[in-house]
Amino acid sequence: MNKPGILLEVVQVLSDLDLFISKAYITSDGRWFMDVFHVTDQQGKKITNKAIEYIEKALGPESNILGTKGGSWPGKSVGMHSIGDHTAIELIGTDRPGLLSEIFAVLANLHCNIIAAEVWTHNMRVACVLYVNDETTFQAVDDPSRLSKMEEKLRNVLRGRGDDVKGARTSFSIGTTHVDRRLHQLMLADKDYEIGGSVTEGNEVISFRPVITIDHCEEKGYSVVNIKCKDRPKLLFDIVCTLTDMQFVVFHASVSSDGPYGLQELYIRHKDGFTLDSREEKEMVIKCLEAAILRRVSEGFSLELCGRDRVGLLSDVTRVLREYGLTVTRADVTTIGEQAMNVFYVRDASGNPMEMKTIEALRREIGHTVMLNVKRVPSSTNAPQPSRWTRSGFSFGGLLGRLWS
């Protein structure tokens, strides 16, 4: 049966399973909806019965995936469940080289362990959602004086040189909003869609800037949003999430691929029944959708690290990246049991390939118990480039599978 937000629920579940949507047909009329998704896993294979069972359970009558309940897919942080007792911290401010290293160092000095984190950057702005606990008790940090000290130090780091026009914010979140959706909400509220990036960043974005148009469907009374952009995982989620948070309802849609490009045609209305009629309204929606698509785009290199977790690990890793002139554009930090699995998307100012001395420096800093995989993130959706391993025979994906089994 149809209900408000149901499309976002469905797409969110598929996104959390890291499924690739090659084609989709979405329709809802009155009390019912019918969505068809053509999906594969990240290896291009059919999904397993276990994944199908999870989807059925997550969307079933007992589920409330956009609220306080969550699924239990092994190793996936859907919302804020399955990562133990924690304190959630939300940060937003102006991005600059070394900022992430400073944030992690502050938390390490305050004897906090980071058990999960997600970091996005776009248009010289950065948004983070961090889940921390006490390094000794493994419990949430709830002492008011300690939280106040933490907030003050993090705010000072975010202020940086003191010339932040938009300002920086630190808050301790309450609730269970899905982490990716929360990052979209933080950056949307921060108006990261406004022009404000550097010349370098602007030149990079132009090579894959989405093409978005909005027309009016007279016959049915819809606004029709057409999007053509570089295809990638989680693309549909980012689009539907942003439209939902802007109070629009997607009634019908078709999704397909054209070589390296993803094509979306969405028939929408505002939740109050209005369509997009004015030029200003259309331009605002186009800007917000473009920002939502580009926030998750990363070019350069990805560093995948897997090993035994310890306090200060993230601070050490990001400090070495900073010392070698590498900027973190996106980060995904996860802890499963005692294992830390961290992915950093990095680049340098000139876009040159990462040197082996940087990889060796990381190895010296974090110890030989941590596996390190370096991959070049392709600028198109062609076949992935070969990985450069620091140990032969190690499969990052294979290790994740063993941990989750």
Side-chain angles (χ1 to χ4, degrees):
M1 291 186 67
N2 202 10
K3 65 176 181 178
I6 184 63
L7 177 59
L8 180 57
E9 289 189 33
V10 173
V11 175
Q12 179 178 302
V13 171
L14 301 181
S15 174
D16 286 327
L17 290 174
D18 290 326
L19 300 181
F20 181 76
I21 302 172
S22 59
K23 189 184 298 184
Y25 304 98
I26 295 161
T27 184
S28 60
D29 283 305
R31 297 174 58 192
W32 300 95
F33 78 94
M34 171 64 77
D35 300 340
V36 180
F37 298 93
H38 296 242
V39 302
T40 58
D41 63 17
Q42 287 189 316
Q43 287 72 45
K45 299 178 181 178
K46 287 186 176 182
I47 61 175
T48 63
N49 288 335
K50 187 176 181 181
I52 294 172
E53 290 172 2
Y54 169 78
I55 295 170
E56 291 176 340
K57 182 179 179 181
L59 297 174
E62 300 301 318
S63 173
N64 183 21
I65 201 163
L66 297 184
T68 57
K69 300 178 185 176
S72 56
W73 181 252
K76 305 300 291 184
S77 295
V78 182
M80 292 159 54
H81 79 287
S82 75
I83 54 175
D85 200 9
H86 64 273
T87 300
I89 308 170
E90 296 178 354
L91 309 173
I92 192 155
T94 297
D95 191 26
R96 55 182 168 82
L99 176 61
L100 194 58
S101 173
E102 294 179 35
I103 291 172
F104 289 158
V106 164
L107 293 172
N109 291 336
L110 291 172
H111 307 290
C112 292
N113 186 37
I114 302 170
I115 50 180
E118 193 87 18
V119 181
W120 289 1
T121 63
H122 178 243
N123 257 0
M124 297 303 296
R125 301 295 288 175
V126 59
C128 316
V129 177
L130 311 169
Y131 304 122
V132 304
N133 60 18
D134 183 87
E135 69 176 33
T136 304
T137 65
F138 303 107
Q139 300 297 309
V141 180
D142 53 12
D143 177 62
S145 62
R146 190 176 176 188
L147 289 173
S148 178
K149 184 178 181 180
M150 186 186 304
E151 183 177 11
E152 179 185 0
K153 288 185 175 294
L154 288 172
R155 188 182 293 118
N156 289 337
V157 167
L158 286 170
R159 283 174 180 165
R161 298 182 298 271
D163 57 355
D164 190 343
V165 177
K166 286 190 174 182
R169 294 188 299 280
T170 303
S171 61
F172 300 98
S173 65
I174 301 173
T176 54
T177 304
H178 184 272
V179 62
D180 286 6
R181 185 179 186 188
R182 188 62 189 139
L183 285 165
H184 276 303
Q185 291 173 339
L186 287 170
M187 300 200 93
L188 181 64
D190 189 59
K191 299 183 178 179
D192 71 317
Y193 50 81
E194 294 179 344
I195 300 299
S198 65
V199 174
T200 301
E201 184 177 7
N203 289 339
E204 289 178 3
V205 170
I206 288 174
S207 65
F208 48 80
R209 185 178 294 279
V211 177
I212 305 173
T213 61
I214 300 179
D215 301 307
H216 184 68
C217 178
E218 295 283 353
E219 184 180 354
K220 297 293 184 179
Y222 296 115
S223 291
V224 185
V225 181
N226 280 281
I227 303 172
K228 181 177 182 179
C229 61
K230 175 182 169 184
D231 205 4
R232 59 168 175 78
K234 304 182 188 291
L235 176 61
L236 184 59
F237 170 82
D238 294 337
I239 292 169
V240 173
C241 177
T242 298
L243 288 172
T244 301
D245 285 331
M246 293 183 73
Q247 308 301 313
F248 289 99
V249 179
V250 179
F251 288 89
H252 306 279
S254 64
V255 176
S256 60
S257 298
D258 179 16
Y261 298 103
L263 308 174
Q264 292 87 25
E265 184 179 54
L266 306 104
Y267 291 76
I268 68 170
R269 291 193 198 112
H270 193 271
K271 70 174 186 177
D272 294 329
F274 302 116
T275 56
L276 291 164
D277 296 322
S278 72
R279 177 181 174 184
E280 290 76 14
E281 288 176 320
K282 292 179 180 179
E283 287 179 351
M284 174 62 72
V285 171
I286 289 173
K287 285 182 181 179
C288 292
L289 286 174
E290 182 179 275
I293 292 167
L294 295 178
R295 285 170 197 146
R296 211 192 288 264
V297 170
S298 299
E299 291 193 341
F301 289 87
S302 68
L303 301 179
E304 299 174 342
L305 300 99
C306 184
R308 188 179 180 86
D309 190 29
R310 62 174 173 82
V311 176
L313 173 64
L314 293 171
S315 178
D316 291 344
V317 172
T318 51
R319 174 174 52 80
V320 174
L321 295 177
R322 180 188 63 190
E323 290 172 353
Y324 282 83
L326 297 173
T327 299
V328 177
T329 59
R330 191 156 59 90
D332 184 0
V333 175
T334 307
T335 305
I336 302 177
E338 296 183 347
Q339 293 291 320
M341 286 170 287
N342 309 322
V343 182
F344 298 95
Y345 295 86
V346 300
R347 67 183 181 210
D348 66 8
S350 60
N352 292 328
M354 185 181 297
E355 297 181 5
M356 185 56 69
K357 66 179 182 180
T358 307
I359 300 172
E360 293 305 322
L362 279 171
R363 291 287 304 282
R364 289 193 299 270
E365 291 287 345
I366 64 181
H368 292 273
T369 58
V370 175
M371 298 292 188
L372 173 62
N373 176 24
V374 181
K375 293 193 297 186
R376 183 170 184 87
V377 180
S379 58
S380 67
T381 53
N382 295 333
Q385 299 295 317
S387 304
R388 184 187 298 168
W389 297 99
T390 57
R391 288 193 189 181
S392 61
F394 169 68
S395 167
F396 189 74
L399 182 55
L400 293 183
R402 291 197 295 274
L403 287 169
W404 294 346
S405 62

